[in-house]
Amino acid sequence: MPSEFDLIEKFFTRPPRAGSAVLLGVGDDCALFAPESGMQLAVSSDMLVAGRHFFPDADPFFLGHKSLAVNLSDLAAMGARPLAFTLALSLPEANESWLSAFSQGLLQLADRFDCQLVGGDTTRGPLNICITIFGEIAAIDALRRDGARVGDDIWVSGTLGDARLALAALQQDVALDTGELRSAKERLDAPQPRVALGLALRGVATSAIDISDGLTGDLGHILKRSYVGARLDADSLPIGSALARQPLELQHRFALAGGDDYELCFTAPVTMRDKVHAASQTAKVSVTRVGAIEAEPGLRLFDAHGTPMSLTLSAFDHFAS
Ligand code: ADP
Ligand code: MG
C-alpha cells in the first residue's frame, strides 16, 4: 500500500518549469512564487464533490481536466493570467490507475496554460477535489462584476447549452444520436477555459463573469453588482451545435439557464465593438452580442420580433418535459 507521500511524489510532483513564477513547488511546507512586479494576485477556489458536481464513477481523466478548467475559467472571467494552483484531494482509496488518469487530465491542462501545481493536501475520505488557483493582473485591468454601464452591449463567448443537453441525455430526458451525444458530452466533460479571451478583453470589457450556473443567473450577478438591468434577445443566443437540433423552447431554456457552459459573459461599450471582435480573433473564440444593459433593474427577454417573452427561471432549475 503506497503512502500518501509516495502518491504525491508519483502523481503530483514534477520538475519546476524554467522561467516560471514558481521558485519552490510541491514538497516543502509552503510553495513560493511571486507575480511580476506591479501586478496583483487574483485568487479563486472551487470544490467539486462526488454525487453533487459529478457522477462518482466519472472518467478520472476528464475529472482532472474539469477540476482545473473551472478554476482557470474564474481567472479568465477576471482577465487574469494563470500562475499556479494547489490541490486538496480527499480520496476513498489509493487507486493508482484512477490517480494516474486524474493527474494526466489535470496536468495536461495545467501545462497548456503554463499554470503549475505547487502544493496541496491529500487525505482519505469521500471523493472531493478542491483547487485554489492563483493568477496575476494589474489592478486597473481586472474585469470585475461591478463595471457594467447603461448602454453597454452584453456579449457571450462560444456557444451555450450543450453541456446541459448532455446532462439531460445522460439522465434519459432527451434522446440524442451518437454524434450529438459525443459533441454535447465533450462540452460537459472537457470545458475549455476562455483564458485568452479574458486577457484580450482587458481595457475593452467593462465587466465579466464566467457562465457556470446559466447565463441569466450569472448575468444577474453583474446586474446586481453594477446596479443596472438588462434586456436579452433570446433569438440571438449562440446555441450549441447539438442543442440547435432540439425544439426552440428547449434551446432557449438550456442556453439561458443550463449551466456548466464555462463561457464568458461580458459587457462593453458600443464604441468598443471593433475591439471586442479583435479580441475574439486574437483568442480564436467566437463572440455574440446578446443584449444590452439598461437602467431599469431586472432582466427582460425578447424574441426576434421584439415581443417580450416570459422569464420564469425557477422552472429552469429542473428539467421537466
Ligand atoms: P503538511 O504536513 O505540511 O500538511 P503534507 O504532508 O500534507 O504537508 O504534504 C507534503 C507536501 O506535498 C506539501 O508540499 C504539500 O503542498 C504537497 N501536497 C500534498 N498533497 C498534494 C496534492 N494533492 N497535490 C500537490 N501537492 C500536494
Ligand atoms: Mg497536509
Side-chain angles (χ1 to χ4, degrees):
M1 181 74 185
S3 79
E4 172 194 337
F5 301 105
D6 296 336
L7 295 176
I8 295 166
E9 175 82 31
K10 187 162 177 187
F11 296 111
F12 298 117
T13 308
R14 299 204 306 177
R17 287 162 73 94
S20 97
V22 177
L23 304 170
L24 188 62
V26 171
D28 214 310
D29 299 309
C30 293
L32 301 174
F33 66 93
E36 278 188 26
S37 93
M39 301 293 259
Q40 297 195 326
L41 278 180
V43 182
S44 176
S45 289
D46 262 302
M47 184 148 66
L48 294 181
V49 178
R52 171 136 200 105
H53 300 102
F54 58 90
F55 298 111
D57 62 350
D59 182 312
F61 179 90
F62 288 115
L63 202 51
H65 173 102
K66 189 162 178 174
S67 308
L68 183 59
V70 302
N71 282 275
L72 285 165
S73 179
D74 282 321
L75 289 186
M78 210 65 192
R81 187 170 76 86
L83 292 177
F85 69 103
T86 61
L87 168 68
L89 198 56
S90 162
L91 295 169
E93 55 175 346
N95 177 336
E96 294 213 25
S97 70
W98 190 95
L99 275 165
S100 171
F102 176 81
S103 69
Q104 275 179 47
L106 180 83
L107 296 177
Q108 274 182 22
L109 187 68
D111 286 348
R112 255 178 60 204
F113 289 94
D114 205 10
C115 188
Q116 213 170 301
L117 176 57
V118 293
D121 201 21
T122 309
T123 70
R124 191 178 288 261
L127 182 56
N128 188 329
I129 303 154
C130 182
I131 287 179
T132 297
I133 198 162
F134 302 86
E136 67 176 11
I137 190 163
I140 192 169
D141 286 335
L143 304 178
R144 298 162 50 134
R145 296 178 182 183
D146 58 6
R149 296 290 174 262
V150 173
D152 282 356
D153 293 322
I154 301 171
W155 299 82
V156 166
S157 69
T159 64
L160 300 174
D162 267 359
R164 182 65 184 84
L165 180 67
L167 186 63
L170 294 175
Q171 294 171 335
Q172 324 238 303
D173 288 328
V174 166
L176 299 181
D177 70 31
T178 320
E180 290 167 347
L181 182 61
R182 197 188 316 112
S183 72
K185 221 171 152 290
E186 173 146 0
R187 292 299 308 266
L188 181 65
D189 291 340
Q192 300 300 315
R194 303 305 187 191
V195 172
L197 181 62
L199 290 170
L201 287 171
R202 289 175 300 178
V204 176
T206 49
S207 72
I209 191 167
D210 66 322
I211 306 174
S212 53
D213 297 331
L215 173 61
T216 50
D218 287 320
L219 174 61
H221 296 305
I222 288 183
L223 302 183
K224 190 167 170 215
R225 289 291 199 86
S226 301
Y227 299 100
V228 291
R231 60 171 288 147
L232 279 181
D233 303 314
D235 292 306
S236 67
L237 295 170
I239 304 292
S241 59
L243 182 58
R245 297 161 79 162
Q246 296 293 319
L248 198 58
E249 195 271 338
L250 196 71
Q251 291 183 27
H252 286 157
R253 188 153 28 128
F254 283 1
L256 285 167
D260 262 348
D261 297 300
Y262 297 103
E263 295 294 350
L264 297 186
C265 171
F266 58 95
T267 59
V270 173
T271 52
M272 288 284 182
R273 283 181 188 171
D274 287 349
K275 292 204 165 148
V276 170
H277 286 296
S280 152
Q281 284 195 330
T282 304
K284 299 189 175 64
V285 56
S286 64
V287 293
T288 307
R289 199 148 44 80
V290 297
I293 297 293
E294 297 177 338
E296 189 189 340
L299 188 55
R300 292 157 292 279
L301 190 63
F302 296 91
D303 69 12
H305 310 290
T307 311
M309 296 170 64
S310 76
L311 196 68
T312 45
L313 292 178
S314 56
F316 295 174
D317 286 350
H318 298 282
F319 177 62
S321 76

